[in-house]
Amino acid sequence: DAGVIQSPRHEVTEMGQEVTLRCKPISGHNSLFWYRQTMMRGLELLIYFNNNVPIDDSGMPEDRFSAKMPNASFSTLKIQPSEPRDSAVYFCASSLGQPSSYEQYFGPGTRLTVT
Amino acid sequence: KNQVEQSPQSLIILEGKNCTLQCNYTVSPFSNLRWYKQDTGRGPVSLTIMTFSENTKSNGRYTATLDADTKQSSLHITASQLSDSASYICVVSERRAGKSTFGDGTTLTVKP
């Protein structure tokens, strides 16, 4: 299995631009998570989906962030408009079942820099 | 507010030595506790998952312990190797809501 696939691996954009991060979970997994990691705040859960349905988006920082999961094999995290404080590494992870009970497999991350 | 505190924040040891990382939490009701290893520039990788009834679990040279009464966990690394240099993150999940609280991690550096 290829594991969780994220694209792009690096993204540099200017403030105000729209950014779309992409994730392909491990085949057969039914839970998908988006995380953000910064030096200041560590690893934070933004949103998670179960069976393609958003279950908990309480970690999404503000309306500029949105996430979709149109099918079991694809998810996007969009930031519009982007701001310098959004600069971080964004991880996607997937698991086989209930988020707190099953091991989560993380992708390699997307390093976002907003100038 | 649920919290997970890890100590030390950073640690430097010589190759071949043992070390122990600590994780204290206030998460309740408790579901499970996970230790992750995160190499620089990569995503976290799960080392162990422990539920309430488990007080020790091993994964190779990594051994995690859990004391659910005192709400403490430790990760012991035996005979450290250069490849153990990484950040180790403790994550504690609630039983009801399934929410997880992440520690800030311990950065371990193993020197030759």
Side-chain angles (χ1 to χ4, degrees):
Chain A
D1 197 318
V4 176
I5 299 173
Q6 291 187 247
S7 65
R9 293 294 311 277
H10 301 272
E11 177 79 35
V12 180
T13 190
E14 292 183 348
M15 182 174 63
Q17 296 298 305
E18 176 181 296
V19 175
T20 299
L21 311 181
R22 297 173 176 79
C23 175
K24 176 179 169 55
I26 292 174
S27 178
H29 284 190
N30 61 1
S31 290
L32 182 140
F33 313 81
W34 282 101
Y35 292 90
R36 178 173 67 178
Q37 187 175 40
T38 61
M39 289 292 292
M40 291 296 294
R41 300 174 66 91
L43 201 59
E44 304 172 278
L45 176 66
L46 300 177
I47 185 172
Y48 88 83
F49 296 84
N50 184 249
N51 293 323
N52 311 337
V53 177
I55 302 300
D56 183 359
D57 64 354
S58 60
M60 295 285 264
E62 48 198 273
D63 292 344
R64 298 184 297 107
F65 286 69
S66 62
K68 294 182 179 180
M69 191 164 187
N71 57 62
S73 59
F74 184 66
S75 177
T76 59
L77 178 67
K78 184 177 294 186
I79 308 173
Q80 167 63 23
S82 58
E83 297 182 2
R85 60 192 169 121
D86 301 330
S87 297
V89 180
Y90 291 82
F91 289 103
C92 175
S94 69
S95 72
L96 192 55
Q98 289 294 327
S100 64
S101 304
Y102 288 81
E103 181 175 344
Q104 295 183 26
Y105 294 82
F106 283 75
T110 294
R111 181 173 294 277
L112 173 65
T113 303
V114 183
T115 61
Chain B
K1 180 183 176 182
N2 288 330
Q3 289 186 314
V4 174
E5 294 187 356
Q6 293 188 241
S7 62
Q9 185 175 7
S10 61
L11 181 63
I12 301 174
I13 62 173
L14 293 177
E15 185 178 13
K17 298 296 186 183
N18 303 335
C19 68
T20 300
L21 314 180
Q22 298 290 343
C23 174
N24 296 340
Y25 63 92
T26 62
V27 174
S28 182
F30 175 86
S31 174
N32 61 67
L33 184 147
R34 291 170 277 162
W35 282 96
Y36 285 92
K37 178 188 178 190
Q38 184 175 20
D39 293 317
T40 301
R42 308 191 72 165
V45 174
S46 179
L47 294 175
T48 62
I49 304 175
M50 288 188 292
T51 60
F52 186 87
S53 59
E54 298 172 299
N55 55 25
T56 186
K57 184 166 280 190
S58 292
N59 179 356
R61 295 180 296 102
Y62 300 99
T63 299
T65 64
L66 173 65
D67 186 332
D69 292 330
T70 62
K71 298 187 176 180
Q72 297 179 325
S73 176
S74 64
L75 180 69
H76 186 74
I77 305 174
T78 304
S80 61
Q81 300 176 358
L82 298 179
S83 59
D84 293 330
S85 295
S87 179
Y88 292 83
I89 302 170
C90 175
V91 184
V92 184
S93 297
E94 297 177 39
R95 187 173 345 117
R96 278 195 304 261
K99 289 183 180 292
S100 297
T101 302
F102 290 76
D104 289 336
T106 292
T107 301
L108 173 66
T109 303
V110 180
K111 292 194 170 184

